[in-house]
Amino acid sequence: MTPALVGTACTLRTDDHRPAPDPVIAAAGDIACEPGGQVSADTCQQKATSDLLLRRPLAAVLTLGDEQYVEGRLKSFQTQYGPTWGRVLSITHPAPGNHEYKSGGDGFFQYFGAAAGDPRHPYYSFDVGGWHLIALNSECAAAGGCGAGSAQERWLRGDLQAHPAGCTLAFWHQPRFSSGGHGDNVAYQQFWQDLYAAGVEIVLNGHDHDYERFAPQTPTGQPAADGIREFVVGTGGKSLLPLHAPKPNSEVRSATFGVLELTLHPDGYDWEFVPIAGKFTDRGHGECHSPAGAQNRR
């Protein structure tokens, strides 16, 4: 299936004029090995994970950083990422990771073009169905900061105010909460505070090479029915790394290659971790927060 077919199939209507099904998106990070990387059961599985993206029509693919190892150079993107995940380039919305910036980020922005946003202000947002999606940049120095009052954080608050959607998702590379080797990172505390205040439903991250699902929680890690559900999906193909002791509110963990699929309903979402053949999976359903509940947290 060509990228064009994948990108257009999601907009079709059936012959009897029934509404199109709710959009499905897929996400993962930590994807393509460097040139010369050898495929094995534990490494360089970007072709196998990209095959999962072709199994049914998708409305969008979100890449969660470290799309291309080791330094994210344009030639590496063209020879490694391109023949695999590049098959759905036309519907891909990328976030950069630390490995992209090892070479200054130029290869990332050259390869993805306008879909990656403005290199001078490397964060952006868009809509899928009734959902609002926000791509942030966790490489804080390159993005002009991540903390309160930084250019990126001011943009985030403005974007949330300008798009009071009933359902919202944000994604970037390095997670605030994680039971993986990199662990928690408080650099993204302000992101979480802004997103929680706006009633955001989901945060997606990579960086740790595993899959982890957290229960809804507050920016300080307290369980909360109206909290944000975080998924770490660093399972795009590069390699798998061991998990450490589970952090509070961690519900499911696995070191398995695969992608996370989200079906975006008008008032909720279904999730399913889709593995390469014969491996772990995870699925469930969540509801979007009521606008009144979000307003009470501001």
Side-chain angles (χ1 to χ4, degrees):
M1 182 179 291
T2 65
L5 288 174
V6 174
T8 57
C10 64
T11 64
L12 297 178
R13 299 292 190 272
T14 58
D15 292 340
D16 60 1
H17 305 292
R18 288 179 297 176
D22 291 336
V24 179
I25 66 173
D30 306 278
I31 297 170
C33 280
E34 63 275 10
Q38 298 298 308
V39 177
S40 73
D42 298 318
T43 59
C44 302
Q45 288 289 329
Q46 62 265 21
K47 171 62 165 57
T49 57
S50 70
D51 287 344
L52 301 173
L53 306 174
L54 306 179
R55 69 188 193 120
R56 62 168 166 166
L58 296 172
V61 171
L62 314 183
T63 56
L64 309 179
D66 285 1
E67 287 86 355
Q68 180 59 61
Y69 287 80
V70 172
E71 296 182 345
R73 298 185 183 277
L74 178 59
K75 184 175 181 180
S76 299
F77 268 106
Q78 293 168 335
T79 61
Q80 303 300 113
Y81 183 96
T84 57
W85 282 62
R87 292 181 288 172
V88 291
L89 182 61
S90 66
I91 57 168
T92 296
H93 302 269
N98 52 296
H99 280 274
E100 274 72 48
Y101 279 105
K102 286 183 179 290
S103 57
D106 291 347
F108 172 85
F109 289 102
Q110 290 169 6
Y111 180 78
F112 287 108
D118 187 339
R120 297 168 298 177
H121 311 287
Y123 30 85
Y124 61 94
S125 66
F126 57 101
D127 294 330
V128 175
W131 281 64
H132 187 59
L133 280 65
I134 303 171
L136 296 175
N137 191 319
S138 64
E139 301 313 299
C140 301
C146 298
S150 66
Q152 180 171 204
E153 191 270 334
R154 294 196 307 272
W155 174 89
L156 172 60
R157 283 189 281 111
D159 186 79
L160 290 166
Q161 292 169 4
H163 299 89
C167 303
T168 305
L169 175 155
F171 63 104
W172 65 88
H173 182 53
Q174 299 193 41
R176 168 66 183 88
F177 302 99
S178 174
S179 304
H182 294 293
D184 294 353
N185 193 327
V186 298
Y188 313 111
Q189 182 72 20
Q190 189 63 46
F191 286 175
W192 266 71
Q193 289 179 202
D194 293 344
L195 296 169
Y196 179 71
V200 168
E201 277 67 43
I202 299 172
V203 163
L204 304 180
N205 304 119
H207 198 47
D208 275 323
H209 295 197
D210 54 57
Y211 172 78
E212 186 167 20
R213 170 169 56 84
F214 284 85
Q217 58 187 331
T218 71
T220 57
Q222 300 303 308
D226 65 349
I228 300 171
R229 186 184 294 281
E230 181 195 280
F231 296 87
V232 177
V233 197
T235 55
K238 168 59 172 72
S239 61
L240 297 172
L241 296 173
L243 286 137
H244 293 186
K247 295 293 176 67
N249 305 314
S250 177
E251 294 184 315
V252 173
R253 299 159 301 282
S254 180
T256 302
F257 290 119
V259 302
L260 178 67
E261 288 189 355
L262 295 167
T263 303
L264 304 180
H265 304 301
D267 55 359
Y269 58 95
D270 302 325
W271 75 80
E272 180 180 4
F273 181 80
V274 183
I276 60 175
K279 301 289 185 179
F280 154 92
T281 191
D282 177 44
R283 60 177 60 89
H285 175 78
E287 299 290 337
C288 293
H289 305 129
S290 70
Q295 187 66 31
N296 291 337
R297 295 202 295 270
R298 293 183 184 277

